[in-house]
Amino acid sequence: MQNDMVQSGLAGIEIRDLHLSFGPTKVLTGVNLTIRPGEFFAFLGPSGSGKSTLLRAIAGFGPRPQGEISIGGRDVAGLPPWQRDVGMVFQSYALWPHMSVRENVAFGLRERKAAPAEIRRRVGDALDLVGLSHLADRMPNQLSGGQQQRIALARTVVIEPKVLLLDEPLSNLDAGLRVQMRRELLALQRKLGLTTIFVTHDQEEANTTSDRMAVLDGGVIQQVGTPQELYDNPVNLFVARFLGTANILEGRVERAGDGVRFVSLSGEAIQLSSAATGTGAIVLRPQNISLTARSTPTTLPGTVRHCEFLGSQMRYLVECAGTEMVVDKPHRSGDQVFLPETQVKLDINAADAVFLADGR
Amino acid sequence: MSQQPDVAARRPTLANRLPAFLFPRLNPVALTGVIIAIFLIGFLIFPVLQVIHVAFQNPSSGTLTLQNFGDFFATSLFRESFVNSFYVSAVSVVVATIIALPLAYITTRFNFGGSMLIQSLGFIPLIMPPFVGAVAMQLIFGRNGTINLLLRDRFGISIPFMEGLNGVILVQSIHYFPFILINLSASLRNIDRSMEEAAQNLGAHGLRLFRRIVFPLATPGYVAGAALVFIKVFDDLGTPLLLNVNNMLAPQAYLRITSVGISDPMGYVISVILVAFSILSLWASFLVMRGKDYATVQKGGGGLAKRDLAPREKVMAYAVVFFILSLVLSPHLGLLLLSLSTIWSFAPLPDGYTLANYARMWESSQGYVANTLLYAGIAATLDVILGTAIAYIVLRTGIAGRKWLDYLATAALAVPGVVLGIGYLRTFQSVDVPFIDKPLASWWVIIAIALTIRRLPYALRACMAALQQVSLALEEAAESLGATKMRTIRKIVVPLMSGGILAGFVTSFATASVELSATIMLVSAERDSPLAYGIYLFMQTPSGRGAGAALGILAVVIVAIGTILSQIIIERDKKMRTSGREH
Ligand SMILES: Nc1ncnc2c1ncn2[C@@H]1O[C@H](COP(=O)(O)OP(=O)(O)O)[C@@H](O)[C@H]1O
Ligand SMILES: [Mg+2]
């Protein structure tokens, strides 16, 4: 059994064609996902997109889903939560108020019938890990939010689960503590090498912590990849909009000489390097557009409507090709500022424009 | 270890391959639910249905008939009893309202120093069963009681407070008005100040404001309280019996069954009428409450605007409160005096004082006390076990028909003690207990079971409330750490509910120990009698009254301690949960 636990850190998760509904309401549809051993993986999506439901299905809570879930090569779909060897940290921490910190942390080991000496040692180790050994004899209601969070973590990792599931673990903390806990969490995960899934609706949290992430919407996985991949190459408008600010220009891409060009609905055209052609939209990030006064084949004409000084950058709202585009310009002292109502040209680097054909 | 369950789950066993309906999957929780349902059907639903059945049955031929009801309404005594019961209940509601309204109004509308006093003393009547105070009330308010002796002395008049039905009305309304006070005060407190201010802003004030806004918003609470008073009075057996008022429904049912016999249909007809009225008033209060959850208090609001009283008003308010509270506390005072008196008869106060009554009570009542501890102990234990199990099944599982367990247990509210007693006599007379050589109906255990059923709705509410306090995540955390459902219930759910369960136990115990109506039907030998029946026996003879009063005081003390204990437990529990929140 001990050997079992040493090995347990390196388990991947395979989800195949998972469907789940609450009564008549379909909540998850056709979920396919591979999470690699030792990976820090994030589920990102707006509220109600099914992140918690998917996480809980992995842990064995909620209605029984159709499809396959396997953890470390073992099919767990029919197993009750207590046989899955999955550690879950709850949004509310769920520390038992009638047990001391030590008893809370020891619970899982007691359930596994570990020897008293071993329990003592491992509980001590787990509390050391989160730096709260001195609070072992407190009751949960005598702890601050951040401390409760760490204890909840210690209680989960002490059983050396195969995977660690975290459902919005930082949402109950105030802003400063959230950043600190985020780093601690990542450091801990790296140290233990635990396969970890982290649920959040906050893209910054997902970007800063995860190796890879899955973006969910309406119970469907939209895209899986590293934070940069998803940001740079979103596969659809939802992902493009959900990760950072996206300017969307609708129109069509057509051949023009050796290259291709994009023609917006209102008729303006620019050169592109896209291979695909057809109708759809291009996605442009605000920092990939620059404002100039000169017209070239890679520029679109526009009118500045509004400008906001954000310190490190200047943010412009520019009316262009029938829509409003956001353009960010890094700020240096002495830079030229384009005042509202100025006519400008938006210079678009062809390589930075992502073309999404219709229906994506 | 981790590989075992996997293999078991994959290899289909014989049972897995057969259609599921052949093997309904009875996990331990579902099995528990089935056992509880059988218990409730056996000891609540079946006996009551039996009573109803007999009421509609021709006693000789056994065919279904309405003849019994015809006979009932053809008998003048029964007609009179029916009218009396209705009259007494209705007037008791009115008198209880007259007592409760000023108290509720004063405490919720004014900054009044006496509010705390009302809040605590107002509930005292509930810790004494009404029949216990009845005799003491006679000594104070009766024809030759303290008040009338003084009145006759000074003014040559006497007022028939306790004559016939008046006595029942007085005792009952003094006893049960807190139900109205509690519910009415709660609704008044739940009205948000902004509701009132909005009305004032739109031009309403004074009486008009009260009639248009405050009164409609407080109505559901009032009706709930009033309906409860109505049923309690309508069903009560002990008070009329002790006051020797027999021309009411519950005493008639009791007397018919005990004197004419268990095959006489009249007792059953009365039972059906009692149940029908209970259901009717519960239903009426449900209708009024439905969709009218008027808890309008918003953040930072908090009840109607309170204003300070002018000095003159303050004096008046104190006078009213003092008058009402002294009326309300008179049974307790009277009982205490009676228990300490040598002789108290035809005199405003006892002739002399002694502790002899307590000594006598103690000598002759140890059996009663021991029986009470046994019965109430069994009832309260069963109640919290059933309550916890039902609460868990209803709130935490998806077992089909789980709501029905709640309905079954709660149905006991609509069954008066007399009816349950008659149902047990009828149903279990023919069921012999193995090895005892006695019918179940006259075995002492049946008394404990009757008490269990009677107190179950209240214990169930306590357990439900306790379970609702336990967040689901606390259970899931245990399961994900390796605890099975049953282990989770044992190590997490029950310990976290323990405060609420304990409070439920104590309340059930205290109230079961003074319950008379079902008990009085089921006691078959004095040896098996509990305390409430002991008091009843003592009070039958003038010479036994002193000791009876002493036993009554003991009962009041038991219930009072129980009530206070359960309050302390609930408060302490609340603290454990909330003190960690402010971070
Ligand atoms: N117990 C439940 N019963 C019915 N619907 C539910 C239940 N839990 C969640 N849902 C629905 O499932 C959807 C996904 O919920 P959830 O997984 O909690 O979203 P997220 O965690 O992404 O905010 C929501 O639309 C929600 O309304
Ligand atoms: Mg969620």
Side-chain angles (χ1 to χ4, degrees):
Chain A
M1 179 158 150
Q2 260 165 311
N3 289 340
D4 223 30
M5 288 191 169
V6 175
Q7 282 300 312
S8 63
L10 291 172
I13 302 173
E14 283 285 335
I15 297 174
R16 285 286 150 262
D17 201 26
L18 194 81
H19 294 257
L20 186 148
S21 15
F22 285 101
T25 333
K26 287 200 126 194
V27 174
L28 294 175
T29 321
V31 173
N32 283 293
L33 199 57
T34 304
I35 294 165
R36 299 172 194 140
E39 192 167 40
F40 197 117
F41 196 93
F43 290 169
L44 177 65
S47 171
S49 57
K51 309 177 298 285
S52 298
T53 307
L54 179 54
L55 192 78
R56 290 164 58 79
I58 297 172
F61 297 117
R64 181 158 178 189
Q66 287 168 19
E68 270 176 45
I69 302 176
S70 63
I71 299 173
R74 176 166 76 126
D75 181 9
V76 297
L79 294 184
W82 51 91
Q83 288 173 2
R84 292 196 179 195
D85 235 345
V86 158
M88 177 139 172
V89 175
F90 292 80
Q91 193 172 0
S92 59
Y93 316 138
L95 296 180
W96 301 301
H98 62 305
M99 297 183 190
S100 69
V101 163
R102 188 191 306 282
E103 288 164 337
N104 262 282
V105 178
F107 184 89
L109 296 173
R110 295 233 164 89
E111 287 306 309
R112 284 166 172 67
K113 309 237 169 4
E118 195 199 341
I119 293 181
R120 212 168 314 124
R121 181 178 58 75
R122 285 171 62 180
V123 169
D125 289 350
L127 288 175
D128 280 340
L129 193 66
V130 296
L132 291 180
S133 314
H134 59 292
L135 299 181
D137 295 310
R138 293 260 187 107
M139 297 306 276
N141 63 15
Q142 299 169 311
L143 304 177
S144 72
Q147 290 167 339
Q148 293 189 18
Q149 168 73 269
R150 292 190 185 91
I151 298 301
L153 208 60
R155 181 177 72 178
T156 309
V157 298
V158 75
I159 61 166
E160 295 173 11
K162 289 210 178 81
V163 294
L164 180 60
L165 308 181
L166 307 159
D167 191 356
E168 311 233 8
L170 307 179
S171 62
N172 280 343
L173 302 175
D174 48 43
L177 198 53
R178 208 176 296 166
V179 175
Q180 183 195 337
M181 274 308 296
R182 186 169 88 194
R183 299 203 174 115
E184 280 183 30
L185 203 58
L186 190 59
L188 187 79
Q189 192 267 346
R190 294 291 184 239
K191 193 155 151 194
L192 298 174
L194 263 177
T195 311
T196 300
I197 304 178
F198 179 96
V199 165
T200 178
H201 60 266
D202 178 344
Q203 50 149 328
E204 182 187 321
E205 258 175 37
N207 286 338
T208 49
T209 50
S210 63
D211 297 318
R212 290 194 309 144
M213 60 193 192
V215 175
L216 274 89
D217 184 42
V220 176
I221 291 192
Q222 306 291 323
Q223 192 173 2
V224 178
T226 65
Q228 296 85 337
E229 278 166 12
L230 266 57
Y231 185 83
D232 293 340
N233 289 303
V235 296
N236 60 26
L237 290 179
F238 177 82
V239 175
R241 287 206 182 94
F242 197 71
L243 294 176
T245 311
N247 293 303
I248 315 270
L249 273 183
E250 291 185 46
R252 63 176 194 282
V253 175
E254 56 190 30
R255 303 224 161 266
D258 335 333
V260 291
R261 61 174 199 157
F262 173 80
V263 183
S264 75
L265 290 182
S266 52
E268 288 91 352
I270 47 165
Q271 284 185 353
L272 268 195
S273 58
S274 165
T277 56
T279 58
I282 55 171
V283 178
L284 293 163
R285 297 299 181 185
Q287 70 279 17
N288 294 339
I289 306 175
S290 42
L291 297 182
T292 66
R294 278 183 310 116
S295 180
T296 69
T298 61
T299 60
L300 291 171
T303 309
V304 175
R305 287 295 174 218
H306 192 75
C307 76
E308 284 174 345
F309 178 54
L310 301 176
S312 61
Q313 64 194 27
M314 187 66 93
R315 168 158 291 186
Y316 292 98
L317 278 177
V318 184
E319 193 173 311
C320 167
T323 67
E324 278 212 330
M325 308 252 281
V326 180
V327 178
D328 284 346
K329 187 160 172 281
H331 176 70
R332 288 193 194 80
S333 63
D335 266 3
Q336 183 197 2
V337 174
F338 296 95
L339 292 172
E341 309 313 325
T342 316
Q343 302 288 325
V344 290
K345 303 284 177 291
L346 290 79
D347 193 353
I348 292 156
N349 182 357
D352 290 331
V354 178
F355 174 67
L356 298 174
D358 259 353
R360 298 182 76 178
Chain B
M1 160 208 126
S2 48
Q3 290 305 313
Q4 282 321 100
D6 190 24
V7 175
R10 270 211 206 119
R11 186 179 305 148
T13 60
L14 177 64
N16 283 355
R17 264 176 288 163
L18 289 170
F21 63 84
L22 285 180
F23 288 87
R25 267 189 44 225
L26 277 189
N27 58 38
V29 178
L31 191 66
T32 311
V34 170
I35 293 170
I36 293 172
I38 292 172
F39 176 83
L40 290 175
I41 289 169
F43 287 104
L44 173 62
I45 305 302
F46 186 73
V48 173
L49 288 181
Q50 182 87 346
V51 168
I52 296 173
H53 184 217
V54 174
F56 288 98
Q57 209 176 28
N58 185 316
S60 44
S61 69
T63 50
L64 286 185
T65 169
L66 282 175
Q67 186 56 43
N68 298 331
F69 287 82
D71 292 348
F72 175 86
F73 285 105
T75 315
S76 70
L77 175 62
F78 290 142
R79 272 204 313 272
E80 184 192 333
S81 302
F82 181 78
V83 172
N84 285 348
S85 276
F86 199 84
Y87 166 78
V88 165
S89 308
V91 177
S92 294
V93 169
V94 172
V95 177
T97 305
I98 293 172
I99 299 176
L101 201 60
L103 295 182
Y105 187 71
I106 291 174
T107 49
T108 48
R109 301 283 297 185
F110 301 107
N111 293 313
F112 177 57
S115 293
M116 272 304 294
L117 195 70
I118 299 173
Q119 295 297 336
S120 24
L121 292 187
F123 300 109
I124 284 193
L126 290 183
I127 65 173
M128 179 165 77
F131 75 92
V132 175
V135 170
M137 292 283 285
Q138 205 132 35
L139 290 170
I140 297 174
F141 294 101
R143 188 182 303 155
N144 297 310
T146 313
I147 302 286
N148 273 322
L149 285 178
L150 292 176
L151 283 176
R152 222 173 298 154
D153 235 32
R154 301 275 159 85
F155 308 105
I157 54 162
S158 67
I159 303 174
F161 296 112
M162 297 294 289
E163 300 305 308
L165 301 179
N166 290 358
V168 185
I169 292 170
L170 186 62
V171 172
Q172 303 282 31
S173 45
I174 283 185
H175 184 74
Y176 285 123
F177 84 89
F179 285 130
I180 295 183
L181 178 60
I182 296 168
N183 284 295
L184 186 59
S185 307
S187 334
L188 284 176
R189 258 194 296 275
N190 276 340
I191 300 175
D192 192 84
R193 185 168 308 177
S194 61
M195 297 280 149
E196 190 187 18
E197 285 169 358
Q200 283 170 337
N201 181 247
L202 296 172
H205 61 91
L207 256 186
R208 199 175 152 71
L209 172 75
F210 193 82
R211 216 184 63 223
R212 296 285 301 274
I213 306 293
V214 178
F215 188 73
L217 287 175
T219 305
Y222 171 74
V223 172
L228 212 51
V229 174
F230 188 92
I231 310 181
K232 290 275 180 190
V233 178
F234 202 76
D235 294 349
D236 191 28
L237 173 61
T239 309
L241 272 188
L242 263 173
L243 292 173
N244 215 9
V245 175
N246 294 332
N247 48 354
M248 289 176 64
L249 286 180
Q252 279 302 319
Y254 170 70
L255 293 172
R256 290 300 284 208
I257 296 290
T258 49
S259 57
V260 181
I262 148 169
S263 53
D264 174 62
M266 285 307 120
Y268 299 87
V269 171
I270 296 176
S271 294
V272 168
I273 295 174
L274 292 178
V275 173
F277 269 85
S278 293
I279 292 175
L280 223 68
S281 2
L282 284 176
W283 186 57
S285 87
F286 169 76
L287 278 190
V288 176
M289 297 292 280
R290 193 180 50 176
K292 294 200 180 158
D293 190 2
Y294 283 152
T296 58
V297 177
Q298 275 131 39
K299 261 216 177 107
L304 295 166
K306 288 190 179 180
R307 70 175 178 84
D308 290 325
L309 288 163
R312 208 169 49 93
E313 290 173 317
K314 202 173 248 173
V315 172
M316 266 173 55
Y318 269 110
V320 169
V321 168
F322 180 78
F323 174 76
I324 293 178
L325 287 184
S326 53
L327 182 67
V328 162
L329 294 180
S330 57
H332 299 75
L333 274 176
L335 194 71
L336 187 64
L337 281 182
L338 181 58
S339 75
L340 291 169
S341 63
T342 49
I343 296 175
W344 186 6
S345 175
F346 289 97
L349 285 174
D351 293 356
Y353 297 95
T354 171
L355 282 175
N357 290 325
Y358 283 88
R360 197 174 137 218
M361 175 271 281
W362 190 242
E363 274 162 29
S364 50
S365 303
Q366 283 171 26
Y368 297 146
V369 173
N371 287 337
T372 299
L373 295 182
L374 179 65
Y375 303 162
I378 291 176
T381 309
L382 278 177
D383 275 342
V384 294
I385 292 174
L386 292 171
T388 308
I390 296 175
Y392 187 87
I393 291 171
V394 171
L395 295 175
R396 289 294 153 86
T397 69
I399 295 173
R402 60 193 181 281
K403 281 256 162 222
W404 281 98
L405 280 183
D406 184 8
Y407 299 152
L408 278 181
T410 310
L413 277 182
V415 180
V418 194
V419 178
L420 195 67
I422 293 176
Y424 279 13
L425 287 181
R426 177 81 188 197
T427 310
F428 302 123
Q429 201 64 59
S430 52
V431 178
D432 276 329
V433 186
F435 312 116
I436 306 274
D437 201 25
K438 235 190 200 183
L440 181 53
S442 46
W443 193 30
W444 63 267
V445 172
I446 202 71
I447 303 176
I449 293 178
L451 294 176
T452 305
I453 295 284
R454 295 270 294 156
R455 309 315 312 171
L456 183 57
Y458 306 96
L460 176 58
R461 288 300 136 211
C463 293
M464 288 243 186
L467 183 54
Q468 267 157 348
Q469 302 269 309
V470 181
S471 139
L472 196 57
L474 294 176
E475 286 171 54
E476 292 179 344
E479 286 178 18
S480 80
L481 289 175
T484 61
K485 273 259 176 324
M486 277 300 165
R487 298 263 312 157
T488 305
I489 293 175
R490 243 188 56 213
K491 302 209 54 169
I492 307 293
V493 181
V494 170
L496 282 176
M497 285 174 71
S498 62
I501 293 177
L502 197 58
F505 176 89
V506 174
T507 317
S508 284
F509 182 89
T511 46
S513 59
V514 290
E515 155 102 38
L516 180 65
S517 53
T519 317
I520 197 173
M521 313 276 327
L522 295 170
V523 169
S524 57
E526 205 189 318
R527 187 163 61 76
D528 289 341
S529 312
L531 202 148
Y533 192 69
I535 298 174
Y536 175 70
L537 289 183
F538 271 125
M539 294 293 193
Q540 298 295 306
T541 60
S543 61
R545 282 178 176 178
L551 194 52
I553 292 289
L554 182 67
V556 170
V557 169
I558 291 177
V559 181
I561 291 176
T563 312
I564 294 169
L565 261 184
S566 81
Q567 281 310 313
I568 292 176
I569 295 166
I570 289 170
E571 282 305 313
R572 212 197 45 194
D573 212 44
K574 219 184 270 170
K575 264 197 205 113
M576 173 179 94
R577 267 165 225 293
T578 52
S579 61
R581 296 275 158 80
E582 298 91 46
H583 290 294

